[in-house]
Amino acid sequence: MKDFDLLKKLTETPGVPGREERIRELIRAESQDLFDEFRTDAIGNLIAVRRPTRAGRGSAKPRRIMIACHIDEIGFYVKHIDEKGFLRLNPAGGFDTRNLFARKVLVQGRRDVIGVLNPAGRPIHIATDEEKKKVYKVGEFFVDLHLPPAQVTRLVRVGDPVTLIQTTEPVGKAIVGKCMDNRVATFVALGALRKIAKSGSPHEICYVGTVQEEVGLRGAGPATFGIEPDIAIAIDVTLACDTPGVPPEEAVCTFGGGAAIKVMDHASISDRELVDEFLALAEAKKIKHQLEILPLGGTDAAAMQRAMRGHRTITLSVPCRYVHTVTESVHTEDVKATIDLLAAYLQS
Ligand SMILES: [Zn+2]
């Protein structure tokens, strides 16, 4: 895939909700040439503005378009350090703890320290039947830094962020790694802006790298107040459960089936005209697409839609398999289709 290196950097950079400094700086550095103005608001959203670069055609009025891509990732904060130097964690975002056994983690302390994550208890050889069946809570996991306690307390303190370690790799037609949810969104937004860089857009485009989405859409609302957009688009991943063990009517999306135009999820219903507009564009430009209804979960669209006096919003989704694991997978053709569809809209 073109620009794979950028997606790799975006997904491998740590940024738990509320501690998005590193990912924010990376995005800023990687997109200097695309925007006229950068600012970071008080809650930490990165706002990058690209002013209109050409006059509109026909009667269509130029608009201010906000594109929200949450930049946080599910992770942890150090909650407690015991006398042996083991760390206990508080979750920031919704982990399925069945996927947390035997992981390597990055503790962002006075310097970065690698640790090993496992649940408290006996290994399989000596576990009781009861223990073998148990589903552990995040609070029952601990991090082993393999360092003497005195050194641990010099390096780490309560409140330090912890993220899973996973390198991003191409696998078949997919790209696989941690936090495709939601760094792939920023990859899509920057890709679309790069695509229209030459031809320009009649609209003012505000990319917003929103913070703290995974703990309850906290960043997008305040950002919307600061921007007052005419149109607000959230880019996020959605479920592609077209895999064994899930009936087809619950698949939500098809992996490789193209950009998903969201009709509704648990938190927002997309603007009717925007859904029609995106559908018509996808058909006219022959961009692979599908319609999406997600029964549970939500995106920044919900926060933008309800901010101030309300906004016209829609979510464009990238289908993703194995969401909230370290094997989050996106199909290269779906990523490309979402870039193409967003670029087409920004030029229309
Ligand atoms: Zn997300």
Side-chain angles (χ1 to χ4, degrees), residues 74-115:
I74 52 174
F76 315 91
Y77 280 80
V78 174
K79 180 174 78 172
H80 175 76
I81 305 169
D82 76 13
E83 68 284 355
K84 286 184 167 174
F86 294 121
L87 315 179
R88 295 299 182 124
L89 305 174
N90 198 59
F95 272 109
D96 180 347
T97 53
R98 292 170 300 177
N99 299 320
L100 285 180
F101 284 65
R103 297 285 172 210
K104 279 196 280 185
V105 294
L106 189 71
V107 181
Q108 295 131 60
R110 305 296 75 60
R111 64 170 168 81
D112 284 354
V113 202
I114 295 174

Side-chain angles (χ1 to χ4, degrees), residues 114-190:
I114 295 174
V116 181
L117 181 69
N118 274 299
R122 301 177 183 85
I124 188 103
H125 318 70
I126 54 168
T128 62
D129 286 346
E130 209 45 38
E131 283 173 322
K132 283 178 195 165
K133 278 185 280 184
K134 190 172 170 172
V135 177
Y136 290 86
K137 297 191 177 73
V138 170
E140 293 173 280
F141 284 76
F142 65 93
V143 177
D144 188 350
L145 298 175
H146 296 305
L147 288 172
Q151 203 174 341
V152 171
T153 48
R154 267 203 306 277
L155 288 171
V156 182
R157 68 181 177 220
V158 168
D160 285 342
V162 179
T163 48
L164 296 172
I165 293 178
Q166 181 62 54
T167 51
T168 297
E169 310 284 351
V171 178
K173 304 268 184 222
I175 309 290
V176 178
K178 76 166 173 76
C179 69
M180 290 297 158
D181 177 11
N182 190 30
R183 306 290 166 70
V184 74
T186 291
F187 182 76
V188 164
L190 299 186

Side-chain angles (χ1 to χ4, degrees), residues 70 181-182 213-214 235-237 298-299 324:
H70 76 83
D181 177 11
N182 190 30
E213 191 269 358
E214 294 286 0
I235 318 258
D236 211 323
V237 299
T299 73
H324 287 196

Side-chain angles (χ1 to χ4, degrees), residues 13-30:
T13 301
V16 303
R19 296 290 180 269
E20 295 92 348
E21 299 83 1
R22 287 193 208 182
I23 182 68
R24 195 165 53 223
E25 281 320 303
L26 174 73
I27 294 166
R28 202 186 170 117
E30 293 285 342

